[in-house]
Amino acid sequence: LAHLVAESKPYADFYRREVERGALVILDNSDFEGFQFAPEDLVDACDAIGATELMAPETFRDGKKTAHQVLKFAEKVKHTNPDIKIFGTAHGGPKIEFFDCWTELMNSDLVDTIGVSCRFDVVLRRTLRSPSPKLQKAYYRIALMKLIDAILTSEGMVKASPKTKPHHLLGATDAIELYQYRDWPWVR
C-alpha cells in the first residue's frame, strides 16, 4: 500500500527485502483505503521499495473514468520510467461498462497486468445467485472470470493474449474461489 510505504519505514523495508528475495511485489495505489497520490508520488513509492508492478489510479465502479485514468497514468509513467510494469484494475457499473474498461486495458500496450476487484458485484448482481450467501462475492467473480476466459479463447476478441496480460485477483482469500482458477495460468 502506497500510503504505508510513505508512512512506515519498517513496512517499506519489509517489501524492499521481499523484492530482493525475488518476490512479486505490487505497489497498491491505496485508493480503496481512501488515499489519492499524484503519479510522481506513486512512482517514488514504487522506486523506494523496488516494486515489481505499480497499480494505476482508479475510480471504483466507473469504468470509463478508470480506463482514462489508467491509460493516462501509464503513458506518463512509461515515458519517464519505461521499466515499471503497470497494473490496471478494471471497473464498471453495468456489465457492459466493466467489459469496455477491461477491453481498453487489455488492448493497451501500456498496461501489463489486469486487476479484478473483489468488489465488482454490481457487474453481475441480479444475474447470478450463489447457493450459499456466504460465497456470493466469490461466485460473482468466478462467473466473471469464466466470461473473461471465454472471451480470451475466442479468436480476435482482444489483441492481447492471457500469456502477456496476467489477471490478478484483488482481495481473493476464499479457498473455494481460488481452487476454481487452478487451470488458468493467467490468473494469479
PDB file of all heavy atoms in Angstrom, residues 95-130:
ATOM      1  N   LYS A  95     -22.823  -4.177 -16.583  1.00  0.00           N
ATOM      2  CA  LYS A  95     -21.948  -5.220 -17.148  1.00  0.00           C
ATOM      3  C   LYS A  95     -21.113  -4.716 -18.324  1.00  0.00           C
ATOM      4  O   LYS A  95     -19.923  -4.923 -18.378  1.00  0.00           O
ATOM      5  CB  LYS A  95     -22.788  -6.411 -17.610  1.00  0.00           C
ATOM      6  CG  LYS A  95     -23.364  -7.196 -16.506  1.00  0.00           C
ATOM      7  CD  LYS A  95     -24.287  -8.253 -17.069  1.00  0.00           C
ATOM      8  CE  LYS A  95     -25.445  -8.406 -16.142  1.00  0.00           C
ATOM      9  NZ  LYS A  95     -26.736  -8.278 -16.588  1.00  0.00           N
ATOM     10  N   ILE A  96     -21.741  -4.059 -19.248  1.00  0.00           N
ATOM     11  CA  ILE A  96     -21.039  -3.642 -20.465  1.00  0.00           C
ATOM     12  C   ILE A  96     -19.945  -2.625 -20.148  1.00  0.00           C
ATOM     13  O   ILE A  96     -18.891  -2.624 -20.776  1.00  0.00           O
ATOM     14  CB  ILE A  96     -22.026  -3.139 -21.548  1.00  0.00           C
ATOM     15  CG1 ILE A  96     -21.352  -3.104 -22.921  1.00  0.00           C
ATOM     16  CG2 ILE A  96     -22.596  -1.785 -21.200  1.00  0.00           C
ATOM     17  CD1 ILE A  96     -21.080  -4.468 -23.490  1.00  0.00           C
ATOM     18  N   GLU A  97     -20.167  -1.760 -19.163  1.00  0.00           N
ATOM     19  CA  GLU A  97     -19.160  -0.766 -18.799  1.00  0.00           C
ATOM     20  C   GLU A  97     -17.902  -1.436 -18.257  1.00  0.00           C
ATOM     21  O   GLU A  97     -16.787  -1.040 -18.577  1.00  0.00           O
ATOM     22  CB  GLU A  97     -19.726   0.210 -17.762  1.00  0.00           C
ATOM     23  CG  GLU A  97     -18.763   1.322 -17.411  1.00  0.00           C
ATOM     24  CD  GLU A  97     -19.301   2.240 -16.328  1.00  0.00           C
ATOM     25  OE1 GLU A  97     -20.519   2.494 -16.299  1.00  0.00           O
ATOM     26  OE2 GLU A  97     -18.493   2.694 -15.510  1.00  0.00           O
ATOM     27  N   PHE A  98     -18.075  -2.473 -17.434  1.00  0.00           N
ATOM     28  CA  PHE A  98     -16.923  -3.223 -16.927  1.00  0.00           C
ATOM     29  C   PHE A  98     -16.137  -3.805 -18.099  1.00  0.00           C
ATOM     30  O   PHE A  98     -14.920  -3.688 -18.162  1.00  0.00           O
ATOM     31  CB  PHE A  98     -17.357  -4.347 -15.978  1.00  0.00           C
ATOM     32  CG  PHE A  98     -16.216  -5.242 -15.578  1.00  0.00           C
ATOM     33  CD1 PHE A  98     -15.427  -4.916 -14.492  1.00  0.00           C
ATOM     34  CD2 PHE A  98     -15.899  -6.367 -16.330  1.00  0.00           C
ATOM     35  CE1 PHE A  98     -14.346  -5.721 -14.141  1.00  0.00           C
ATOM     36  CE2 PHE A  98     -14.829  -7.169 -15.992  1.00  0.00           C
ATOM     37  CZ  PHE A  98     -14.054  -6.849 -14.895  1.00  0.00           C
ATOM     38  N   PHE A  99     -16.834  -4.442 -19.027  1.00  0.00           N
ATOM     39  CA  PHE A  99     -16.142  -5.082 -20.146  1.00  0.00           C
ATOM     40  C   PHE A  99     -15.526  -4.062 -21.099  1.00  0.00           C
ATOM     41  O   PHE A  99     -14.484  -4.331 -21.702  1.00  0.00           O
ATOM     42  CB  PHE A  99     -17.056  -6.067 -20.873  1.00  0.00           C
ATOM     43  CG  PHE A  99     -17.189  -7.356 -20.114  1.00  0.00           C
ATOM     44  CD1 PHE A  99     -18.350  -7.648 -19.431  1.00  0.00           C
ATOM     45  CD2 PHE A  99     -16.134  -8.241 -20.047  1.00  0.00           C
ATOM     46  CE1 PHE A  99     -18.460  -8.824 -18.706  1.00  0.00           C
ATOM     47  CE2 PHE A  99     -16.227  -9.425 -19.319  1.00  0.00           C
ATOM     48  CZ  PHE A  99     -17.397  -9.713 -18.654  1.00  0.00           C
ATOM     49  N   ASP A 100     -16.121  -2.893 -21.234  1.00  0.00           N
ATOM     50  CA  ASP A 100     -15.494  -1.826 -22.026  1.00  0.00           C
ATOM     51  C   ASP A 100     -14.164  -1.417 -21.396  1.00  0.00           C
ATOM     52  O   ASP A 100     -13.158  -1.259 -22.088  1.00  0.00           O
ATOM     53  CB  ASP A 100     -16.415  -0.611 -22.144  1.00  0.00           C
ATOM     54  CG  ASP A 100     -17.590  -0.839 -23.090  1.00  0.00           C
ATOM     55  OD1 ASP A 100     -17.580  -1.825 -23.851  1.00  0.00           O
ATOM     56  OD2 ASP A 100     -18.540  -0.015 -23.046  1.00  0.00           O
ATOM     57  N   CYS A 101     -14.166  -1.227 -20.081  1.00  0.00           N
ATOM     58  CA  CYS A 101     -12.939  -0.857 -19.364  1.00  0.00           C
ATOM     59  C   CYS A 101     -11.902  -1.972 -19.497  1.00  0.00           C
ATOM     60  O   CYS A 101     -10.742  -1.725 -19.835  1.00  0.00           O
ATOM     61  CB  CYS A 101     -13.256  -0.581 -17.895  1.00  0.00           C
ATOM     62  SG  CYS A 101     -11.824  -0.126 -16.881  1.00  0.00           S
ATOM     63  N   TRP A 102     -12.319  -3.203 -19.248  1.00  0.00           N
ATOM     64  CA  TRP A 102     -11.426  -4.354 -19.332  1.00  0.00           C
ATOM     65  C   TRP A 102     -10.805  -4.452 -20.725  1.00  0.00           C
ATOM     66  O   TRP A 102      -9.602  -4.673 -20.870  1.00  0.00           O
ATOM     67  CB  TRP A 102     -12.209  -5.621 -18.977  1.00  0.00           C
ATOM     68  CG  TRP A 102     -11.422  -6.884 -19.115  1.00  0.00           C
ATOM     69  CD1 TRP A 102     -10.560  -7.413 -18.194  1.00  0.00           C
ATOM     70  CD2 TRP A 102     -11.427  -7.772 -20.228  1.00  0.00           C
ATOM     71  NE1 TRP A 102     -10.027  -8.590 -18.679  1.00  0.00           N
ATOM     72  CE2 TRP A 102     -10.548  -8.826 -19.924  1.00  0.00           C
ATOM     73  CE3 TRP A 102     -12.086  -7.786 -21.458  1.00  0.00           C
ATOM     74  CZ2 TRP A 102     -10.314  -9.878 -20.806  1.00  0.00           C
ATOM     75  CZ3 TRP A 102     -11.854  -8.835 -22.326  1.00  0.00           C
ATOM     76  CH2 TRP A 102     -10.972  -9.859 -22.003  1.00  0.00           C
ATOM     77  N   THR A 103     -11.618  -4.270 -21.755  1.00  0.00           N
ATOM     78  CA  THR A 103     -11.129  -4.367 -23.133  1.00  0.00           C
ATOM     79  C   THR A 103     -10.098  -3.279 -23.424  1.00  0.00           C
ATOM     80  O   THR A 103      -9.064  -3.543 -24.047  1.00  0.00           O
ATOM     81  CB  THR A 103     -12.300  -4.296 -24.138  1.00  0.00           C
ATOM     82  OG1 THR A 103     -13.207  -5.365 -23.852  1.00  0.00           O
ATOM     83  CG2 THR A 103     -11.825  -4.416 -25.567  1.00  0.00           C
ATOM     84  N   GLU A 104     -10.358  -2.057 -22.970  1.00  0.00           N
ATOM     85  CA  GLU A 104      -9.376  -0.974 -23.179  1.00  0.00           C
ATOM     86  C   GLU A 104      -8.050  -1.298 -22.508  1.00  0.00           C
ATOM     87  O   GLU A 104      -6.985  -1.078 -23.088  1.00  0.00           O
ATOM     88  CB  GLU A 104      -9.917   0.354 -22.647  1.00  0.00           C
ATOM     89  CG  GLU A 104     -10.829   1.056 -23.619  1.00  0.00           C
ATOM     90  CD  GLU A 104     -11.003   2.515 -23.258  1.00  0.00           C
ATOM     91  OE1 GLU A 104      -9.998   3.273 -23.307  1.00  0.00           O
ATOM     92  OE2 GLU A 104     -12.135   2.900 -22.935  1.00  0.00           O
ATOM     93  N   LEU A 105      -8.110  -1.815 -21.297  1.00  0.00           N
ATOM     94  CA  LEU A 105      -6.880  -2.161 -20.581  1.00  0.00           C
ATOM     95  C   LEU A 105      -6.173  -3.342 -21.251  1.00  0.00           C
ATOM     96  O   LEU A 105      -4.949  -3.347 -21.385  1.00  0.00           O
ATOM     97  CB  LEU A 105      -7.175  -2.478 -19.114  1.00  0.00           C
ATOM     98  CG  LEU A 105      -7.819  -1.349 -18.292  1.00  0.00           C
ATOM     99  CD1 LEU A 105      -8.041  -1.792 -16.853  1.00  0.00           C
ATOM    100  CD2 LEU A 105      -7.022  -0.065 -18.353  1.00  0.00           C
ATOM    101  N   MET A 106      -6.934  -4.325 -21.689  1.00  0.00           N
ATOM    102  CA  MET A 106      -6.346  -5.484 -22.375  1.00  0.00           C
ATOM    103  C   MET A 106      -5.672  -5.075 -23.678  1.00  0.00           C
ATOM    104  O   MET A 106      -4.617  -5.600 -24.028  1.00  0.00           O
ATOM    105  CB  MET A 106      -7.425  -6.527 -22.684  1.00  0.00           C
ATOM    106  CG  MET A 106      -7.780  -7.429 -21.530  1.00  0.00           C
ATOM    107  SD  MET A 106      -6.409  -8.459 -20.946  1.00  0.00           S
ATOM    108  CE  MET A 106      -6.211  -9.616 -22.282  1.00  0.00           C
ATOM    109  N   ASN A 107      -6.271  -4.142 -24.400  1.00  0.00           N
ATOM    110  CA  ASN A 107      -5.753  -3.762 -25.711  1.00  0.00           C
ATOM    111  C   ASN A 107      -4.641  -2.726 -25.653  1.00  0.00           C
ATOM    112  O   ASN A 107      -4.042  -2.421 -26.675  1.00  0.00           O
ATOM    113  CB  ASN A 107      -6.885  -3.275 -26.608  1.00  0.00           C
ATOM    114  CG  ASN A 107      -7.754  -4.414 -27.085  1.00  0.00           C
ATOM    115  OD1 ASN A 107      -7.318  -5.558 -27.166  1.00  0.00           O
ATOM    116  ND2 ASN A 107      -8.997  -4.117 -27.397  1.00  0.00           N
ATOM    117  N   SER A 108      -4.354  -2.209 -24.477  1.00  0.00           N
ATOM    118  CA  SER A 108      -3.301  -1.204 -24.348  1.00  0.00           C
ATOM    119  C   SER A 108      -1.938  -1.860 -24.131  1.00  0.00           C
ATOM    120  O   SER A 108      -1.775  -2.712 -23.253  1.00  0.00           O
ATOM    121  CB  SER A 108      -3.592  -0.267 -23.169  1.00  0.00           C
ATOM    122  OG  SER A 108      -2.476   0.572 -22.950  1.00  0.00           O
ATOM    123  N   ASP A 109      -0.968  -1.434 -24.911  1.00  0.00           N
ATOM    124  CA  ASP A 109       0.402  -1.910 -24.724  1.00  0.00           C
ATOM    125  C   ASP A 109       1.042  -1.316 -23.468  1.00  0.00           C
ATOM    126  O   ASP A 109       2.109  -1.764 -23.056  1.00  0.00           O
ATOM    127  CB  ASP A 109       1.258  -1.541 -25.943  1.00  0.00           C
ATOM    128  CG  ASP A 109       0.821  -2.280 -27.197  1.00  0.00           C
ATOM    129  OD1 ASP A 109       0.269  -3.395 -27.068  1.00  0.00           O
ATOM    130  OD2 ASP A 109       1.029  -1.746 -28.300  1.00  0.00           O
ATOM    131  N   LEU A 110       0.401  -0.327 -22.873  1.00  0.00           N
ATOM    132  CA  LEU A 110       0.946   0.336 -21.687  1.00  0.00           C
ATOM    133  C   LEU A 110       0.597  -0.386 -20.383  1.00  0.00           C
ATOM    134  O   LEU A 110       1.220  -0.140 -19.358  1.00  0.00           O
ATOM    135  CB  LEU A 110       0.424   1.774 -21.605  1.00  0.00           C
ATOM    136  CG  LEU A 110       0.782   2.685 -22.774  1.00  0.00           C
ATOM    137  CD1 LEU A 110       0.023   3.999 -22.690  1.00  0.00           C
ATOM    138  CD2 LEU A 110       2.285   2.931 -22.798  1.00  0.00           C
ATOM    139  N   VAL A 111      -0.406  -1.252 -20.420  1.00  0.00           N
ATOM    140  CA  VAL A 111      -0.867  -1.953 -19.217  1.00  0.00           C
ATOM    141  C   VAL A 111      -0.346  -3.381 -19.251  1.00  0.00           C
ATOM    142  O   VAL A 111      -0.559  -4.102 -20.224  1.00  0.00           O
ATOM    143  CB  VAL A 111      -2.413  -1.935 -19.124  1.00  0.00           C
ATOM    144  CG1 VAL A 111      -2.898  -2.705 -17.904  1.00  0.00           C
ATOM    145  CG2 VAL A 111      -2.920  -0.504 -19.100  1.00  0.00           C
ATOM    146  N   ASP A 112       0.335  -3.778 -18.167  1.00  0.00           N
ATOM    147  CA  ASP A 112       0.972  -5.094 -18.122  1.00  0.00           C
ATOM    148  C   ASP A 112       0.144  -6.159 -17.413  1.00  0.00           C
ATOM    149  O   ASP A 112       0.243  -7.342 -17.730  1.00  0.00           O
ATOM    150  CB  ASP A 112       2.339  -4.979 -17.429  1.00  0.00           C
ATOM    151  CG  ASP A 112       3.243  -4.005 -18.154  1.00  0.00           C
ATOM    152  OD1 ASP A 112       3.679  -4.333 -19.270  1.00  0.00           O
ATOM    153  OD2 ASP A 112       3.493  -2.902 -17.625  1.00  0.00           O
ATOM    154  N   THR A 113      -0.641  -5.749 -16.425  1.00  0.00           N
ATOM    155  CA  THR A 113      -1.441  -6.677 -15.624  1.00  0.00           C
ATOM    156  C   THR A 113      -2.827  -6.094 -15.428  1.00  0.00           C
ATOM    157  O   THR A 113      -2.972  -4.889 -15.233  1.00  0.00           O
ATOM    158  CB  THR A 113      -0.779  -6.907 -14.245  1.00  0.00           C
ATOM    159  OG1 THR A 113       0.516  -7.475 -14.440  1.00  0.00           O
ATOM    160  CG2 THR A 113      -1.597  -7.834 -13.359  1.00  0.00           C
ATOM    161  N   ILE A 114      -3.838  -6.967 -15.441  1.00  0.00           N
ATOM    162  CA  ILE A 114      -5.218  -6.548 -15.213  1.00  0.00           C
ATOM    163  C   ILE A 114      -5.626  -6.967 -13.808  1.00  0.00           C
ATOM    164  O   ILE A 114      -5.498  -8.140 -13.438  1.00  0.00           O
ATOM    165  CB  ILE A 114      -6.186  -7.205 -16.225  1.00  0.00           C
ATOM    166  CG1 ILE A 114      -5.751  -6.952 -17.660  1.00  0.00           C
ATOM    167  CG2 ILE A 114      -7.625  -6.757 -15.969  1.00  0.00           C
ATOM    168  CD1 ILE A 114      -5.799  -5.519 -18.114  1.00  0.00           C
ATOM    169  N   GLY A 115      -6.105  -6.018 -13.024  1.00  0.00           N
ATOM    170  CA  GLY A 115      -6.628  -6.322 -11.697  1.00  0.00           C
ATOM    171  C   GLY A 115      -8.128  -6.567 -11.785  1.00  0.00           C
ATOM    172  O   GLY A 115      -8.826  -5.894 -12.541  1.00  0.00           O
ATOM    173  N   VAL A 116      -8.605  -7.550 -11.029  1.00  0.00           N
ATOM    174  CA  VAL A 116     -10.035  -7.836 -10.947  1.00  0.00           C
ATOM    175  C   VAL A 116     -10.423  -7.729  -9.473  1.00  0.00           C
ATOM    176  O   VAL A 116      -9.999  -8.531  -8.647  1.00  0.00           O
ATOM    177  CB  VAL A 116     -10.376  -9.236 -11.512  1.00  0.00           C
ATOM    178  CG1 VAL A 116     -11.876  -9.494 -11.433  1.00  0.00           C
ATOM    179  CG2 VAL A 116      -9.887  -9.363 -12.951  1.00  0.00           C
ATOM    180  N   SER A 117     -11.209  -6.729  -9.176  1.00  0.00           N
ATOM    181  CA  SER A 117     -11.585  -6.422  -7.796  1.00  0.00           C
ATOM    182  C   SER A 117     -12.534  -7.461  -7.224  1.00  0.00           C
ATOM    183  O   SER A 117     -13.316  -8.081  -7.946  1.00  0.00           O
ATOM    184  CB  SER A 117     -12.251  -5.047  -7.761  1.00  0.00           C
ATOM    185  OG  SER A 117     -12.735  -4.775  -6.472  1.00  0.00           O
ATOM    186  N   CYS A 118     -12.491  -7.602  -5.918  1.00  0.00           N
ATOM    187  CA  CYS A 118     -13.465  -8.465  -5.237  1.00  0.00           C
ATOM    188  C   CYS A 118     -14.757  -7.699  -4.991  1.00  0.00           C
ATOM    189  O   CYS A 118     -15.743  -8.254  -4.539  1.00  0.00           O
ATOM    190  CB  CYS A 118     -12.899  -8.976  -3.917  1.00  0.00           C
ATOM    191  SG  CYS A 118     -12.605  -7.697  -2.694  1.00  0.00           S
ATOM    192  N   ARG A 119     -14.783  -6.414  -5.325  1.00  0.00           N
ATOM    193  CA  ARG A 119     -15.946  -5.579  -5.039  1.00  0.00           C
ATOM    194  C   ARG A 119     -16.623  -5.099  -6.319  1.00  0.00           C
ATOM    195  O   ARG A 119     -17.028  -3.964  -6.422  1.00  0.00           O
ATOM    196  CB  ARG A 119     -15.505  -4.375  -4.204  1.00  0.00           C
ATOM    197  CG  ARG A 119     -14.911  -4.851  -2.874  1.00  0.00           C
ATOM    198  CD  ARG A 119     -14.878  -3.816  -1.824  1.00  0.00           C
ATOM    199  NE  ARG A 119     -16.208  -3.289  -1.595  1.00  0.00           N
ATOM    200  CZ  ARG A 119     -16.436  -2.018  -1.276  1.00  0.00           C
ATOM    201  NH1 ARG A 119     -15.444  -1.187  -1.160  1.00  0.00           N
ATOM    202  NH2 ARG A 119     -17.653  -1.603  -1.058  1.00  0.00           N
ATOM    203  N   PHE A 120     -16.763  -5.961  -7.268  1.00  0.00           N
ATOM    204  CA  PHE A 120     -17.416  -5.568  -8.520  1.00  0.00           C
ATOM    205  C   PHE A 120     -18.781  -6.221  -8.641  1.00  0.00           C
ATOM    206  O   PHE A 120     -19.337  -6.294  -9.728  1.00  0.00           O
ATOM    207  CB  PHE A 120     -16.559  -5.981  -9.721  1.00  0.00           C
ATOM    208  CG  PHE A 120     -16.551  -7.457  -9.904  1.00  0.00           C
ATOM    209  CD1 PHE A 120     -17.497  -8.068 -10.691  1.00  0.00           C
ATOM    210  CD2 PHE A 120     -15.672  -8.224  -9.204  1.00  0.00           C
ATOM    211  CE1 PHE A 120     -17.548  -9.443 -10.795  1.00  0.00           C
ATOM    212  CE2 PHE A 120     -15.728  -9.596  -9.308  1.00  0.00           C
ATOM    213  CZ  PHE A 120     -16.654 -10.203 -10.098  1.00  0.00           C
ATOM    214  N   ASP A 121     -19.351  -6.684  -7.523  1.00  0.00           N
ATOM    215  CA  ASP A 121     -20.592  -7.455  -7.555  1.00  0.00           C
ATOM    216  C   ASP A 121     -21.706  -6.771  -8.334  1.00  0.00           C
ATOM    217  O   ASP A 121     -22.595  -7.420  -8.857  1.00  0.00           O
ATOM    218  CB  ASP A 121     -21.069  -7.804  -6.150  1.00  0.00           C
ATOM    219  CG  ASP A 121     -21.256  -6.584  -5.276  1.00  0.00           C
ATOM    220  OD1 ASP A 121     -20.309  -5.782  -5.168  1.00  0.00           O
ATOM    221  OD2 ASP A 121     -22.350  -6.429  -4.710  1.00  0.00           O
ATOM    222  N   VAL A 122     -21.642  -5.453  -8.474  1.00  0.00           N
ATOM    223  CA  VAL A 122     -22.663  -4.741  -9.242  1.00  0.00           C
ATOM    224  C   VAL A 122     -22.696  -5.207 -10.699  1.00  0.00           C
ATOM    225  O   VAL A 122     -23.722  -5.145 -11.351  1.00  0.00           O
ATOM    226  CB  VAL A 122     -22.451  -3.208  -9.142  1.00  0.00           C
ATOM    227  CG1 VAL A 122     -21.231  -2.771  -9.919  1.00  0.00           C
ATOM    228  CG2 VAL A 122     -23.676  -2.466  -9.632  1.00  0.00           C
ATOM    229  N   VAL A 123     -21.570  -5.716 -11.194  1.00  0.00           N
ATOM    230  CA  VAL A 123     -21.495  -6.160 -12.580  1.00  0.00           C
ATOM    231  C   VAL A 123     -22.452  -7.324 -12.837  1.00  0.00           C
ATOM    232  O   VAL A 123     -23.109  -7.387 -13.859  1.00  0.00           O
ATOM    233  CB  VAL A 123     -20.044  -6.572 -12.943  1.00  0.00           C
ATOM    234  CG1 VAL A 123     -19.973  -7.177 -14.331  1.00  0.00           C
ATOM    235  CG2 VAL A 123     -19.116  -5.383 -12.829  1.00  0.00           C
ATOM    236  N   LEU A 124     -22.537  -8.246 -11.896  1.00  0.00           N
ATOM    237  CA  LEU A 124     -23.345  -9.440 -12.106  1.00  0.00           C
ATOM    238  C   LEU A 124     -24.544  -9.550 -11.160  1.00  0.00           C
ATOM    239  O   LEU A 124     -25.254 -10.544 -11.194  1.00  0.00           O
ATOM    240  CB  LEU A 124     -22.473 -10.690 -11.970  1.00  0.00           C
ATOM    241  CG  LEU A 124     -21.371 -10.812 -13.024  1.00  0.00           C
ATOM    242  CD1 LEU A 124     -20.463 -11.984 -12.714  1.00  0.00           C
ATOM    243  CD2 LEU A 124     -21.956 -10.963 -14.411  1.00  0.00           C
ATOM    244  N   ARG A 125     -24.754  -8.555 -10.314  1.00  0.00           N
ATOM    245  CA  ARG A 125     -25.893  -8.613  -9.401  1.00  0.00           C
ATOM    246  C   ARG A 125     -27.183  -8.740 -10.193  1.00  0.00           C
ATOM    247  O   ARG A 125     -27.298  -8.221 -11.288  1.00  0.00           O
ATOM    248  CB  ARG A 125     -25.927  -7.345  -8.542  1.00  0.00           C
ATOM    249  CG  ARG A 125     -26.888  -7.491  -7.358  1.00  0.00           C
ATOM    250  CD  ARG A 125     -26.915  -6.262  -6.492  1.00  0.00           C
ATOM    251  NE  ARG A 125     -25.616  -6.051  -5.902  1.00  0.00           N
ATOM    252  CZ  ARG A 125     -25.117  -4.843  -5.662  1.00  0.00           C
ATOM    253  NH1 ARG A 125     -25.791  -3.769  -5.958  1.00  0.00           N
ATOM    254  NH2 ARG A 125     -23.941  -4.727  -5.120  1.00  0.00           N
ATOM    255  N   ARG A 126     -28.135  -9.411  -9.654  1.00  0.00           N
ATOM    256  CA  ARG A 126     -29.431  -9.695 -10.275  1.00  0.00           C
ATOM    257  C   ARG A 126     -29.324 -10.714 -11.411  1.00  0.00           C
ATOM    258  O   ARG A 126     -30.305 -11.068 -12.014  1.00  0.00           O
ATOM    259  CB  ARG A 126     -30.133  -8.429 -10.777  1.00  0.00           C
ATOM    260  CG  ARG A 126     -30.538  -7.485  -9.670  1.00  0.00           C
ATOM    261  CD  ARG A 126     -31.339  -6.324 -10.268  1.00  0.00           C
ATOM    262  NE  ARG A 126     -31.180  -5.127  -9.485  1.00  0.00           N
ATOM    263  CZ  ARG A 126     -30.228  -4.220  -9.658  1.00  0.00           C
ATOM    264  NH1 ARG A 126     -29.345  -4.357 -10.589  1.00  0.00           N
ATOM    265  NH2 ARG A 126     -30.173  -3.158  -8.892  1.00  0.00           N
ATOM    266  N   THR A 127     -28.110 -11.136 -11.751  1.00  0.00           N
ATOM    267  CA  THR A 127     -27.924 -12.100 -12.817  1.00  0.00           C
ATOM    268  C   THR A 127     -27.675 -13.495 -12.258  1.00  0.00           C
ATOM    269  O   THR A 127     -28.182 -14.466 -12.780  1.00  0.00           O
ATOM    270  CB  THR A 127     -26.717 -11.694 -13.707  1.00  0.00           C
ATOM    271  OG1 THR A 127     -26.905 -10.360 -14.122  1.00  0.00           O
ATOM    272  CG2 THR A 127     -26.582 -12.590 -14.905  1.00  0.00           C
ATOM    273  N   LEU A 128     -26.865 -13.566 -11.203  1.00  0.00           N
ATOM    274  CA  LEU A 128     -26.461 -14.854 -10.645  1.00  0.00           C
ATOM    275  C   LEU A 128     -26.702 -14.891  -9.150  1.00  0.00           C
ATOM    276  O   LEU A 128     -26.494 -13.897  -8.458  1.00  0.00           O
ATOM    277  CB  LEU A 128     -24.963 -15.074 -10.879  1.00  0.00           C
ATOM    278  CG  LEU A 128     -24.499 -15.131 -12.314  1.00  0.00           C
ATOM    279  CD1 LEU A 128     -22.987 -15.056 -12.358  1.00  0.00           C
ATOM    280  CD2 LEU A 128     -24.978 -16.404 -12.972  1.00  0.00           C
ATOM    281  N   ARG A 129     -27.081 -16.026  -8.663  1.00  0.00           N
ATOM    282  CA  ARG A 129     -27.233 -16.230  -7.226  1.00  0.00           C
ATOM    283  C   ARG A 129     -26.470 -17.482  -6.837  1.00  0.00           C
ATOM    284  O   ARG A 129     -26.633 -18.538  -7.434  1.00  0.00           O
ATOM    285  CB  ARG A 129     -28.710 -16.404  -6.835  1.00  0.00           C
ATOM    286  CG  ARG A 129     -29.491 -15.135  -6.940  1.00  0.00           C
ATOM    287  CD  ARG A 129     -29.195 -14.240  -5.729  1.00  0.00           C
ATOM    288  NE  ARG A 129     -29.771 -12.940  -5.946  1.00  0.00           N
ATOM    289  CZ  ARG A 129     -29.097 -11.809  -5.866  1.00  0.00           C
ATOM    290  NH1 ARG A 129     -27.828 -11.805  -5.586  1.00  0.00           N
ATOM    291  NH2 ARG A 129     -29.685 -10.670  -6.068  1.00  0.00           N
ATOM    292  N   SER A 130     -25.645 -17.352  -5.832  1.00  0.00           N
ATOM    293  CA  SER A 130     -24.904 -18.485  -5.301  1.00  0.00           C
ATOM    294  C   SER A 130     -25.827 -19.328  -4.432  1.00  0.00           C
ATOM    295  O   SER A 130     -26.712 -18.792  -3.775  1.00  0.00           O
ATOM    296  CB  SER A 130     -23.736 -17.970  -4.460  1.00  0.00           C
ATOM    297  OG  SER A 130     -23.178 -19.013  -3.705  1.00  0.00           O
TER     298      SER A 130
END
